[in-house]
Amino acid sequence: MDNQTSHGEVTLARTLTGFSATMIGLGAMIGAGVFVLTGIAAGEAGPAAIIAFALNGVVTTFTAFTYAELASSIPEAGGGYAFVKRAFPGVIGFTSGWMLWFAYTVACSLYAVGFGGYFIELLKSYFPIIYQAFVGLVGHGNAVSIITFVITSFFISLNVLGADVTGKAENVITLSKIAVLAVFIAFGLAAMRRAPDLALANFTPLFPKGLGGVMAAMGLTFIAFEGYDLIATVSEEIKNPTKNIPIATFVSLWAAVIIYLFILLVSIGAVDPTRFEVYNKLPSQLPQEFNPHVLDPSDPAVNTVWEILGIYKETGIVRAAENFMPSVGVLIIVFGGLLSTMSALNATVLASSRVAFSMGRERMLPPSLAVIHPVRRTPHTAVLVTGFILVAMAVTLPIEVVGSGASLLFLLSFVLVNISLISIRRNEPDLKGFKTPLFPLLPILGVISNLGLAIYQFTFQPMAWYISLGWIGVGLFIYYTYTTRTEAIGAPTEALIVHEEILAVKKYSVLLPVANEKQAHRLAILGAAIAKEKDGEVLALHVVRLPVQLSLSEARHFLAHGKPLMEAVIEEARAFDVPVHTMIRVGRHIGSAILDTARRRNSNLIILGWPGYTKSRDVAFGNIIDLLAKNPPCDIAVVRFRRREPPQHILIPTAGGIHTRLAIELAIAQARQYEHQYPGRRPTITLLFVTPEDVNSSKMARGYELLRSLAAGFDYPMEALVVTAPDVVTGILREAEEYSLVIIGAAEERLFEQRLFGSIPHRVASECSKTVIMVKRHQGPVRSWLRRLLLLGQAIRG
């Protein structure tokens, strides 16, 4: 079936089975790390290296639960980046994607160079004539670079051809690699069975370097557990993602952990240390290329397996194979190393290109990265750009240090993903998919453990932090110079109405955008009171943000999301005998859908709820409220709800601005409808004017005169109150303690200013312990600019 939307948009094809997804995750984890890190980990922790691997498996499981839930609930290309951006749009979401793209791409470079090294080792050991001719012609370093370039180009081509081809290749490579490792483990277990006393002696003592050695080994080997997260980056191409993604995540992770533990077990337990040439030699007698610093200074000579493996470093597993396997053991392990690096390279090319594709589709990076091949349905541009970067790094940069930076960025990215799960669960509780048990304990443990390992990494590789901070700095420069502009230009406005019900047609309409049931009830009480006073209607609107990979034609199944919210508004409006016009829309951009609804339905007032904080410093009230308040198509009110109280005492702070009349109108509507419901309980409305403490009596008299003139235009009794205070906000907050509701108009705007409500209303709403309503009167562009020009002239004269 051709994957196209009704609008002709080409989408990624869902061709990966659950088995293919498992192989992608498993192939990425059982990569070069298991061959390179076995000896190094043993040298750092001794026999307790097996415990270090097991503990890393536990730590990684915390984050694996998070990835399983998010990827099954939100199957979008981009993986961790897509999740963080959904929870924290803006600069945090961009930074997450930027870090992951770098981390995956550098991992690709590491695996490519690893393949080149193993291939040259194969030629050197078994094809010496070819090796001598090749290396003699171009040199050893250039020979590795040529092999690196060839293997990288091959897997880039595979990824351009399609995820289906990639997945099938991954299946073959990963299964072959597991078979090689199974042979290695089988020979090792047989050797341990023949000499159980030797195996026990090799594990005694278990902690020769204490817990510090275990922590060091955990930090060094954590990169070996990165791979299950790659499943999330291709979740948009996995069949039945709700079922297959969690299964693939946990099966791949714990299959890798079990294989790692068996490899460590036999690499230490099955080896006879007396068969090595370095056995019982002093550190000073060891060749220069060995690693004597891992030895305990108190030991007169090398006499334990873990010391020997640590001396041989990345070739420790090869030396172990020579100890208990036939002569073909080295060939088998080298062949396994080639398969491992190919498998990991294939999986990480797939993942890194999908992160770039997702960032391009979200206009975080140039949209050309999101171009999908019309026939292969693969993000071929993203694959080619990623391939160019990884080849350049593989053949030019010091990969060892940059690779440490990639590991650090993985850890920091996992911290953000765990925090994102907590946020998404709170803001989108109705998402369907796998659910993390013991929530929020497991994601909190994931944050603590990943952040702890990241901080500890500074103690043995500070350069990783410097490189990571440099890369993040480049990303922030791109975000603020490019992304912020293109996001604003490219914000989509299309939105589909999936439900609309009209009971009566009224001239005055109060638009209530609602996001959850609690908010729907509280906004409906305010909106219905105003609509009743104006003989109007309430228009209840719920906008569902449609994931980008779905077309608008697939929006009908979102209908159930908004029905409870519509019923909540209807329930509250019924008490006021006000008709409710209900609408559910599905679109790419919530704020644009609200604006479009207000214009098309000729709304007179929009009432929005504000929690009192924002998720980004780039916005004052949040992306949606900021968009609506900058150029509102009608009057607008933003409510900061506090403890629910009846509106018996309403305070209106004012300095006489044009928005004050709207504040008074809304206050009178609330008061009259409350009195109508509870006869004999007439609410009081107080107009407040705050002056500096050092003013004279004439200034206060002018304040009273202003308040009385404002009240004179309405047929509801209002009290006038003039107070002195160190500043306006302090005075308002002090007086507000005696009232149940505060309604304040927006500050005036001068020419070339574009305030939302102004600093004083914003501070009052943020700091006041009572419910605060900020209001802004719609003026129209001509009237607005004329008034701004007048205010600018007054400021210049003053």
Side-chain angles (χ1 to χ4, degrees):
M1 180 178 177
D2 193 23
N3 282 50
Q4 289 187 317
T5 70
S6 60
H7 301 290
E9 176 189 1
V10 183
T11 61
L12 296 175
R14 289 196 182 275
T15 56
L16 296 176
T17 64
F19 180 75
S20 295
T22 303
M23 291 298 102
I24 287 174
L26 188 58
M29 280 183 283
I30 306 180
V34 68
F35 291 89
V36 174
L37 297 175
T38 296
I40 296 174
E44 291 291 340
I50 193 170
I51 295 177
F53 270 80
L55 289 175
N56 266 341
V58 173
V59 168
T60 309
T61 300
F62 298 146
T63 303
F65 274 106
T66 293
Y67 267 92
E69 174 169 340
L70 292 175
S72 65
S73 303
I74 314 169
E76 299 180 15
Y81 156 70
F83 309 145
V84 176
K85 186 175 186 298
R86 189 183 185 107
F88 306 106
V91 65
I92 295 179
F94 172 87
T95 303
S96 171
W98 185 250
M99 290 192 302
L100 279 174
W101 189 26
F102 177 77
Y104 283 134
T105 305
V106 173
C108 291
S109 301
L110 288 170
Y111 299 141
V113 173
F115 178 88
Y118 269 103
F119 191 84
I120 293 299
E121 181 68 25
L122 178 68
L123 293 180
K124 181 179 180 180
S125 300
Y126 296 95
F127 304 96
I129 297 177
I130 298 176
Y131 169 78
Q132 292 173 2
F134 184 30
V135 174
L137 181 64
V138 299
H140 186 275
N142 290 332
V144 173
S145 296
I146 291 172
I147 299 300
T148 299
F149 175 80
V150 171
I151 194 64
T152 301
S153 300
F154 172 73
F155 281 109
I156 290 171
S157 301
L158 276 186
N159 277 267
V160 169
L161 290 176
D164 187 27
V165 176
T166 307
K168 290 176 180 177
E170 190 68 31
N171 295 347
V172 173
I173 294 172
T174 301
L175 289 175
S176 301
K177 176 174 54 178
I178 292 174
V180 169
L181 293 176
V183 171
F184 174 79
I185 293 170
F187 273 100
L189 291 175
M192 291 176 65
R193 185 176 181 181
R194 290 192 299 269
D197 293 338
L198 174 65
L200 183 61
N202 287 345
F203 279 96
T204 305
L206 184 60
F207 295 94
K209 291 198 169 185
L211 293 178
V214 175
M215 288 294 295
M218 287 181 67
L220 287 168
T221 60
F222 182 79
I223 193 172
F225 294 83
E226 294 161 3
Y228 65 89
D229 51 300
L230 269 65
I231 297 170
T233 65
V234 295
S235 58
E236 197 170 325
E237 297 160 84
I238 296 176
K239 298 177 181 179
N240 193 6
T242 302
K243 174 185 176 182
N244 286 330
I245 288 176
I247 295 175
T249 298
F250 294 116
V251 169
S252 63
L253 173 59
W254 278 99
V257 171
I258 291 171
I259 291 172
Y260 288 162
L261 296 182
F262 271 108
I263 289 174
L264 262 295
L265 177 68
V266 301
S267 295
I268 296 174
V271 173
D272 181 359
T274 62
R275 296 179 61 184
F276 289 93
E277 61 175 338
V278 298
Y279 178 74
N280 213 25
K281 288 188 177 181
L282 296 172
S284 59
Q285 297 175 309
L286 295 175
Q288 184 66 33
E289 66 268 18
F290 287 149
N291 192 21
H293 80 275
V294 302
L295 302 176
D296 189 331
S298 63
D299 286 346
V302 178
N303 52 29
T304 63
V305 171
W306 65 267
E307 289 176 320
I308 294 172
L309 292 178
I311 289 172
Y312 283 106
K313 299 183 293 186
E314 67 276 4
T315 60
I317 192 172
V318 178
R319 305 286 84 84
E322 290 176 337
N323 195 276
F324 58 77
M325 295 182 72
S327 58
V328 295
V330 176
L331 177 62
I332 292 176
I333 295 302
V334 170
F335 181 65
L338 291 172
L339 289 175
S340 295
T341 50
M342 283 194 299
S343 174
L345 176 61
N346 182 41
T348 46
V349 167
L350 183 67
S352 58
S353 63
R354 267 42 175 193
V355 174
F357 161 77
S358 184
M359 294 186 75
R361 185 169 62 180
E362 294 282 347
R363 293 182 177 271
M364 290 286 189
L365 292 175
S368 57
L369 291 172
V371 174
I372 298 177
H373 195 282
V375 177
R376 297 291 180 182
R377 299 200 302 276
T378 58
H380 59 292
T381 304
V383 173
L384 293 174
V385 171
T386 299
F388 175 80
I389 295 173
L390 77 88
V391 169
M393 287 193 296
V395 300
T396 61
L397 297 179
I399 289 298
E400 294 82 3
V401 177
V402 179
S404 298
S407 181
L408 174 61
L409 289 175
F410 274 125
L411 287 166
L412 297 178
S413 297
F414 290 167
V415 170
L416 291 177
V417 172
N418 279 292
I419 296 174
S420 297
L421 173 60
I422 298 173
S423 175
I424 290 173
R425 271 276 198 109
R426 183 188 65 187
N427 297 325
E428 302 181 62
D430 297 328
L431 284 177
K432 305 299 181 183
F434 172 83
K435 295 297 181 184
T436 299
L438 301 177
F439 181 86
L441 177 61
L442 292 186
I444 290 174
L445 290 175
V447 170
I448 295 172
S449 57
N450 285 297
L451 190 59
L453 284 174
I455 295 173
Y456 183 77
Q457 188 168 339
F458 185 81
T459 63
F460 62 88
Q461 186 54 273
M463 186 59 67
W465 273 91
Y466 304 147
I467 290 175
S468 300
L469 292 176
W471 178 257
I472 293 172
V474 172
L476 292 176
F477 176 79
I478 293 174
Y479 178 80
Y480 286 110
T481 58
Y482 170 81
T483 306
T484 51
R485 296 202 310 269
T486 56
E487 273 192 310
I489 295 171
T493 59
E494 58 179 345
L496 180 70
I497 298 174
V498 295
H499 163 83
E500 184 172 18
E501 185 175 350
I502 304 174
L503 296 182
V505 178
K506 296 285 187 177
K507 291 185 178 180
Y508 191 92
S509 175
V510 180
L511 175 59
L512 302 180
V514 293
N516 56 68
E517 287 192 53
K518 182 179 179 180
Q519 182 194 65
H521 281 286
R522 303 189 76 172
L523 287 179
I525 294 173
L526 289 175
I530 297 167
K532 182 67 175 180
E533 181 72 10
K534 299 284 189 177
D535 188 27
E537 67 168 11
V538 166
L539 171 51
L541 172 68
H542 177 59
V543 182
V544 179
R545 183 180 180 276
L546 187 69
V548 223
Q549 81 273 19
L550 297 180
S551 68
L552 292 175
S553 61
E554 299 176 88
R556 288 287 169 185
H557 71 278
F558 288 101
L559 184 61
H561 292 196
K563 283 294 184 68
L565 309 185
M566 302 297 99
E567 293 169 1
V569 176
I570 292 171
E571 177 187 339
E572 299 296 347
R574 187 180 295 120
F576 294 87
D577 193 25
V578 169
V580 179
H581 175 175
T582 58
M583 181 185 295
I584 301 174
R585 301 188 71 165
V586 177
R588 310 293 190 194
H589 193 275
I590 295 176
S592 298
I594 296 173
L595 276 175
D596 182 66
T597 302
R599 293 189 178 110
R600 291 176 181 270
R601 297 299 184 267
N602 297 314
S603 297
N604 302 93
L605 173 67
I606 303 174
I607 305 180
L608 300 160
W610 179 52
Y613 60 88
T614 59
K615 296 179 180 178
S616 173
R617 295 181 180 179
D618 302 336
V619 294
F621 295 94
N623 291 323
I624 296 172
I625 296 179
D626 280 19
L627 175 65
L628 295 172
K630 283 178 182 177
N631 295 292
C634 59
D635 296 342
I636 186 170
V638 175
V639 188
R640 170 74 194 279
F641 287 110
R642 296 290 193 173
R643 184 170 61 89
R644 190 168 179 175
E645 298 181 66
Q648 289 184 293
H649 304 286
I650 304 175
L651 181 67
I652 304 176
T654 180
I658 61 168
H659 306 293
T660 299
R661 290 190 61 85
L662 176 59
I664 295 175
E665 291 172 9
L666 300 189
I668 292 175
Q670 296 296 315
R672 282 183 173 157
Q673 293 309 310
Y674 180 78
E675 184 181 11
H676 177 74
Q677 289 185 316
Y678 302 97
R681 299 185 187 178
R682 169 167 278 200
T684 62
I685 298 178
T686 301
L687 302 179
L688 172 67
F689 184 81
V690 181
T691 67
E693 291 179 331
D694 57 351
V695 299
N696 53 37
S697 58
S698 62
K699 175 73 172 178
M700 298 188 68
R702 285 196 297 271
Y704 277 110
E705 183 180 347
L706 169 66
L707 298 182
R708 283 192 291 266
S709 66
L710 290 171
F714 297 90
D715 59 352
Y716 192 95
M718 284 176 270
E719 299 175 1
L721 177 63
V722 178
V723 300
T724 60
D727 60 82
V728 175
V729 175
T730 300
I732 294 173
L733 296 176
R734 184 180 62 205
E735 296 301 322
E737 292 301 315
E738 305 299 324
Y739 293 83
S740 53
L741 174 65
V742 178
I743 306 179
I744 185 171
E748 294 278 17
E749 297 173 321
R750 297 172 184 169
L751 190 65
F752 304 123
E753 287 184 330
Q754 193 175 41
R755 301 180 184 177
L756 301 182
F757 290 95
S759 60
I760 292 177
H762 185 278
R763 283 188 58 196
V764 171
S766 300
E767 300 174 25
C768 186
S769 62
K770 305 293 182 177
T771 295
V772 177
I773 304 177
M774 297 171 287
V775 300
K776 190 173 188 179
R777 175 77 79 184
H778 174 60
Q779 302 177 71
V782 176
R783 184 178 176 186
S784 174
W785 277 81
L786 287 175
R787 186 164 183 85
R788 291 184 188 190
L789 185 61
L790 176 63
L791 289 169
L792 179 63
Q794 293 174 348
I796 293 173
R797 290 196 303 271

